Amino acid sequence: MANNKTSERLARFRSEKAVAHRLKRKRFESLGHAGHGHEEAIEPASSIDCGWGRLIFAQTFDDGNELVAALREEAPDHRDIAVYVSDPHVLLAQAPQEIFLDPSHTFRLDLATYRSGRRQPRGFFVRRLTSEADARAVNRIYAARGMVQVRPDFFWSNRDNRAITYLVAEDETTGEVVGTVTGIDHVRAFADPEQGASLWCLAVDPQARHAGIGETLVRRLGEHFKARGSAFMDLSVLHDNHQAIALYEKLGFRRIPAFSIKRKNSINERLFARPLEAYDALNPYARLIVDEARRRGVHVEITDAEGGFFRLSSGGRSVHCRESLSEMTSGVAMSICDDKAVTRRVVERAGLVVPEQMTAGDDEDELRAFLERHGRVVVKPARGEQGRAVAVGLSSLAEIKTAIKAAREVCDRVLIEACFEGEDLRLVVIDFKLVAAAIRRPPHVIGDGRSTIRQLIETLSRRRAAATGGESTIPVDGETQRCLQLSDLTLDDVLEEGRDIVVRKAANLHTGGSIHDVTAIVHPRLVEAAIKAARAIDIPVVGIDFMVKGPTDPDYVFIEANERPGLANHEPQPTAERFVDLLFPLSGHRAALYALGKM
């Protein structure tokens, strides 16, 4: 009897809810015709494909079952979002094993009262996405920010879609795309009677040199929708993204009680599943591999988060790793890479081009003769990593002696090499195949006519640290001061507006350098030399560093080999995927291909 009464109450509740929803829709339709002058009523069961997934507008669905059914149609490797869910608790009860409440806040900007900012962007400008090259650049930024990528042809095929607006920020000097944002016009998407709009996929290149890119993109999109007559612009931001929330509140956004629902899939796993113990303490290099392993169903045990150690297990196989260094790298290979002089001898015997090198000693005449022979030299510790105590382009005995003293604080044995003019190229070789190639450039600042060079360095260093999880900062030390002296500058000088100066010669990421992908254009001879070096060392995962005239030029000089290359530095190249393929060849998509007989 009690069960019957419960069933009756539940049926009555559902009936009343359906009636209320129909009344709500009729009100929307009435507003659509009369309140805002639209000829079409609100479109039922509306969604819009954004390339990375669909935005599903929950207010256009008759009931929860229909909405859940729409979420079940999510395409592989996509992230659909049901937005403006009015009763999320009820919806979750209908499919608790399949969907979850997104832990994000919704913020709204009232465009009727919004006022444009007076600050003009410096060094970059905002424009529409106009080419497939723009689309590839946007995907590169998405990858660097851990976002779902979009087929480049999707951007291009939707360039005339009036419901979607793609804006990009372009560096005035280099022409590179350094930021992006996507806007959705709700009126054009589903005849929204409230005349709303929303902002999605705000992303700034972590290596961008200029401040204010994100803020400018948000402002430009808001101005665009205001000019179209939109009443508001909404956005969704994770509850713990305090830096972004502070920006939005500064611009006048206010939080509203709107909720989103997503499917439980591998992309969203960190949002709904219990996090790995100590996961947050991992650095970006370890986290990238851990995320890829978990996505494939490979078991992960974090053994020492601070050191970047974890164990991966699948199918009875277990491999202990420290970031990209695994048990598959032998102790011999690691010791070859550890000593730069040994590395040089090994690869030279394999036929690679190496610079002339000497060990720093007490014989000043020998040092002077070496300098006279080469004009400019590099000083570096024989053992060391992350660019510590490396000085590049030294041209006087005094500079060399100072650099030797600094290098000896890292390693007793110091090497002096001939300096090869050109660019620093890193090639990542996994399983003796090239996976990624990137030019590494030294840190440089751009003057604004107001700030000292010290202040510009500190500002850039904060941005680089925020973008790399604290991995990239610019030291203000003797090497920085020496580099400035080459331009007759000091740390306390105010740099004139627009002037661009290099503040360190070394291009290492950890000392503030930036990385620019050149995998698609790197010369085959450079690839061949890198693979030959990896085979000579007999190492399965390695970063080979060359000095080159350019990535498309075959000339090079070998610099060193890194047994633990930072794979997170090379997005959008599939470095983590190839690393896990090496350890577990039949994991993930490869297992599916093997089962289908395609491998």
Side-chain angles (χ1 to χ4, degrees), residues 482-528:
R482 183 191 71 81
C483 188
L484 292 175
Q485 287 170 2
L486 296 175
S487 301
D488 295 323
L489 294 168
T490 69
L491 287 166
D492 296 321
D493 287 336
V494 173
L495 200 61
E496 55 266 34
E497 184 174 352
R499 185 178 177 185
D500 190 330
I501 61 164
V502 174
V503 296
R504 291 182 74 86
K505 291 292 186 180
N508 194 281
L509 176 78
H510 293 85
T511 54
S514 58
I515 295 181
H516 307 266
D517 182 72
V518 294
T519 308
I521 62 172
V522 67
H523 196 282
R525 185 165 180 252
L526 303 177
V527 177
E528 178 186 344

Side-chain angles (χ1 to χ4, degrees), residues 43 472 499:
E43 297 178 9
S472 180
R499 185 178 177 185

Side-chain angles (χ1 to χ4, degrees), residues 214-478:
E215 177 178 341
T216 303
L217 285 164
V218 175
R219 287 189 179 278
R220 292 292 184 272
L221 191 63
E223 291 160 8
H224 166 76
F225 283 131
K226 182 172 182 174
R228 276 193 175 184
S230 298
F232 59 82
M233 182 172 73
D234 289 349
L235 60 82
S236 179
V237 57
L238 279 174
H239 69 97
D240 57 356
N241 191 347
H242 305 298
Q243 185 176 9
I245 290 172
L247 168 63
Y248 300 139
E249 290 178 337
K250 168 190 167 185
L251 295 179
F253 284 81
R254 60 183 177 82
R255 186 174 163 190
I256 63 171
F259 303 97
S260 299
I261 296 289
K262 296 177 181 176
R263 283 193 70 237
K264 292 182 176 180
N265 58 28
S266 58
I267 295 173
N268 294 325
E269 184 175 359
R270 68 185 184 87
L271 300 177
F272 66 84
R274 180 180 177 182
L276 280 170
E277 187 175 350
Y279 174 84
D280 290 339
L282 292 174
N283 64 36
Y285 308 111
R287 194 176 300 160
L288 181 78
I289 298 169
V290 166
D291 288 344
E292 174 62 19
R294 296 185 74 193
R295 188 183 68 81
R296 299 186 185 203
V298 174
H299 177 72
V300 178
E301 176 192 358
I302 298 174
T303 53
D304 185 83
E306 289 76 10
F309 290 89
F310 52 88
R311 182 177 295 279
L312 305 180
S313 304
S314 179
R317 177 182 176 84
S318 178
V319 184
H320 207 184
C321 307
R322 184 184 187 188
E323 300 163 14
S324 63
L325 176 66
S326 76
E327 293 172 328
M328 295 185 69
T329 296
S330 70
V332 171
M334 186 171 173
S335 63
I336 290 173
C337 292
D338 180 56
D339 191 317
K340 294 176 176 62
V342 175
T343 315
R344 177 184 177 278
R345 293 197 297 269
V346 169
V347 301
E348 184 180 22
R349 286 195 290 268
L352 272 72
V353 180
V354 299
E356 186 178 351
Q357 186 184 87
M358 65 172 286
T359 301
D362 298 326
D363 191 337
E364 188 170 307
D365 291 337
E366 183 183 10
L367 183 58
R368 183 180 292 105
F370 190 89
L371 178 60
E372 290 175 354
R373 195 157 58 249
H374 298 290
R376 290 157 62 84
V377 302
V378 177
V379 173
K380 57 187 178 183
R383 288 188 170 92
E385 58 182 6
Q386 300 182 351
R388 287 197 295 270
V390 175
V392 179
L394 309 181
S395 56
S396 72
L397 279 176
E399 289 177 330
I400 295 172
K401 289 178 180 179
T402 300
I404 290 172
K405 182 178 179 181
R408 280 185 173 146
E409 295 180 4
V410 176
C411 178
D412 291 339
R413 189 157 51 92
V414 176
L415 304 177
I416 303 171
E417 286 183 348
C419 185
F420 182 89
E421 294 294 336
E423 295 189 288
D424 188 324
L425 176 68
R426 161 64 62 90
L427 301 106
V428 176
V429 177
I430 298 178
D431 198 18
F432 306 110
K433 302 178 185 69
L434 180 74
V435 177
I439 290 292
R440 303 190 297 180
R441 294 183 179 135
H444 51 108
V445 297
I446 302 172
D448 60 8
R450 302 184 307 273
S451 307
T452 66
I453 294 174
R454 185 190 303 274
Q455 290 169 330
L456 292 172
I457 291 174
E458 290 172 350
T459 299
L460 178 61
S461 194
R462 283 195 299 270
R463 291 207 306 269
R464 299 289 294 122
T468 60
E471 292 296 313
S472 180
T473 56
I474 305 172
V476 179
D477 55 15

